[in-house]
Amino acid sequence: MTTSILNTVSSIHSSRVTPVDRVGVLSLRNPDSVDFTRRRCSGTSTLVFGSPGRRFVVRAAETDTDKVKSPTPDKAPASGSSINQLLGIKGASQETNKWKIRLQLTKPVTWPPLVWGVVCGAAASGNFHWTPEDVAKSILCMVMSGPCLTGYTQTINDWYDRDIDAINEPYRPIPSGAISEQEVITQFWVLLLGGLGIAGILDVWAGHTTPTVFYLALGGSLLSYIYSAPPLKLKQNGWVGNFALGASYISLPWWAGQALFGTLTPDVVVLTLLYSIAGLGIAIVNDFKSVEGDRALGLQSLPVAFGTETAKWICVGAIDVTQLSVAGYLLASGKPYYALALLALIIPQIVFQFKYFLKDPVKYDVKYQASAQPFLVLGIFVTALASQH
């Protein structure tokens, strides 16, 4: 074990020597005899020297180089959860099973908004019926939007974020080496081609002369790629990147569900793009935990560009103002009951924003998303029901 040289002088003072002081000090009893002793206590060293009856004391902190650790852990927390690992969220336990690691990369916790988007699109079409065929179509569309294309998006995002994760979360599968580069590349190609293949099947099944669902899936996949990959890497710009992410999570699955059972209309396109601004706010929530890595690699996420305090207000403002605007649109369109229902769903979101997110966006991000976002997605469904009338 090596010990560094004294790095901080805590105090230098002189005092009378008492009998008690003669233990554990460097004392100069006479000019010809020097006795060196050293006292160590609580991580400090004390050297004392002086003439008979006098002493000088130097206390300094010592650093044990073997005990110096990086502020960022290189292992997952010991109390990590296996459920968190399967869902792909923070607090995950370490895993060696390759299939569990592959699932973790796809972040299943991010699938529900896409699945819900398909439900909203099918509801907005006005042509969905509870028949085995329509149910099967919708389930296949959900598989395309969630496990396949969202899984592709999350895997490729982790692939291009591996340098950032090496700073923020070095124990994640890719930077830790739990899964090889070739295995990651194979995974996102399989998911991408699988999603596009399902999109083509859905177009044939729906009898489309124009492969609308396939085009939407292809466009969404391209958007996912340029969001994460250079040279464009949209995520480098907090505004553009988060809006693109919001559109891919809300607008695209809605459009796919509606195109599968009906046709897209201009008012639906406007409403869903407006809701993509709320999606921008949702995307910002995930940026707070990556501030250190984003700043180190020059990514201008909103928390980096504006600071945590300003960014968290931008986040809740984007979500709340969007929904209030949609409620106003529904009221102006002669749909007051849907507008009131949407307003009723906004109130608990604001309560949870103040209770969790605005208090500490990093510490309470999971609690906030679990408590507030269900009301947001229910609001999107209310808007979808209003669109079919």
Side-chain angles (χ1 to χ4, degrees):
M1 182 178 297
T2 61
T3 305
S4 66
I5 62 171
L6 303 178
N7 55 22
T8 305
V9 175
S10 301
S11 64
I12 300 179
H13 67 90
S14 64
S15 63
R16 292 283 178 182
V17 177
T18 66
V20 178
D21 294 327
R22 291 173 187 153
V23 180
V25 299
L26 161 65
S27 59
L28 187 60
R29 292 187 172 84
N30 59 66
D32 300 320
S33 176
V34 178
D35 180 19
F36 280 78
T37 58
R38 186 180 189 178
R39 178 169 52 206
R40 298 185 61 180
C41 182
S42 301
T44 63
S45 291
T46 302
L47 299 182
V48 185
F49 56 93
S51 60
R54 302 283 296 178
R55 71 171 185 171
F56 290 89
V57 181
V58 179
R59 291 190 178 90
E62 293 183 22
T63 302
D64 191 335
T65 55
D66 289 342
K67 295 182 180 180
V68 175
K69 295 182 179 180
S70 168
T72 305
D74 57 1
K75 292 184 178 181
S79 59
S81 164
S82 58
I83 299 298
N84 288 16
Q85 188 274 326
L86 292 175
L87 292 176
I89 59 178
K90 70 178 185 179
S93 61
Q94 288 183 302
E95 184 57 65
T96 57
N97 183 290
K98 271 293 164 53
W99 288 106
K100 289 184 178 180
I101 293 171
R102 289 185 181 280
L103 183 63
Q104 181 182 3
L105 282 177
T106 66
K107 293 187 177 70
V109 74
T110 63
W111 300 351
L114 284 294
V115 170
W116 190 251
V118 173
V119 172
C120 291
S125 73
N127 292 322
F128 175 82
H129 303 286
W130 288 100
T131 63
E133 182 179 4
D134 281 2
V135 170
K137 283 181 184 177
S138 62
I139 291 174
L140 193 57
C141 191
M142 292 173 189
V143 171
M144 174 198 75
S145 300
C148 290
L149 295 183
T150 305
Y152 155 77
T153 298
Q154 295 295 343
T155 303
I156 201 169
N157 184 65
D158 270 21
W159 172 250
Y160 284 106
D161 272 3
R162 59 193 186 276
D163 292 333
I164 296 176
D165 287 340
I167 298 172
N168 293 325
E169 299 175 280
Y171 45 79
R172 286 191 59 78
I174 296 176
S176 69
I179 186 169
S180 71
E181 294 185 0
Q182 188 56 53
E183 287 171 327
V184 176
I185 293 171
T186 300
Q187 173 161 317
F188 64 64
W189 273 112
V190 168
L191 292 171
L192 173 62
L193 296 177
L196 294 178
I198 292 174
I201 292 171
L202 289 171
D203 278 317
V204 173
W205 197 350
H208 291 163
T209 54
T210 300
T212 310
V213 178
F214 177 82
Y215 287 156
L216 288 171
L218 185 62
S221 301
L222 177 61
L223 184 62
S224 298
Y225 178 79
I226 65 175
Y227 172 81
S228 299
L232 296 179
K233 198 161 191 171
L234 299 181
K235 68 185 298 179
Q236 291 183 114
N237 182 296
W239 294 108
V240 176
N242 285 326
F243 182 79
L245 192 62
S248 66
Y249 269 71
I250 295 175
S251 298
L252 287 172
W254 181 319
W255 294 350
Q258 186 155 350
L260 184 60
F261 295 101
T263 56
L264 287 173
T265 57
D267 62 326
V268 165
V269 172
V270 171
L271 282 173
T272 50
L273 288 177
L274 189 59
Y275 257 116
S276 296
I277 299 175
L280 179 150
I282 297 170
I284 297 172
V285 173
N286 296 314
D287 289 338
F288 289 93
K289 63 186 179 183
S290 303
V291 169
E292 182 182 351
D294 289 349
R295 184 181 289 117
L297 295 178
L299 299 183
Q300 288 299 302
S301 66
L302 295 186
V304 171
F306 293 96
T308 299
E309 287 300 311
T310 301
K312 68 184 183 183
W313 284 102
I314 293 174
C315 177
V316 299
I319 294 171
D320 297 342
V321 171
T322 295
Q323 294 178 94
L324 290 170
S325 300
V326 172
Y329 173 85
L330 295 177
L331 184 62
S333 301
K335 301 170 182 176
Y337 295 113
Y338 289 106
L340 289 173
L342 184 54
L343 285 173
L345 291 167
I346 295 172
I347 294 171
Q349 292 179 64
I350 295 175
V351 171
F352 286 120
Q353 286 166 357
F354 277 93
K355 183 176 181 179
Y356 294 124
F357 186 73
L358 292 174
K359 187 180 294 184
D360 190 330
V362 176
K363 182 178 180 181
Y364 297 116
D365 66 329
V366 175
K367 286 186 177 180
Y368 166 67
Q369 293 185 69
S371 59
Q373 288 192 12
F375 294 99
L376 172 62
V377 297
L378 285 174
I380 296 173
F381 186 65
V382 167
T383 305
L385 293 176
S387 300
Q388 70 175 327
H389 293 94

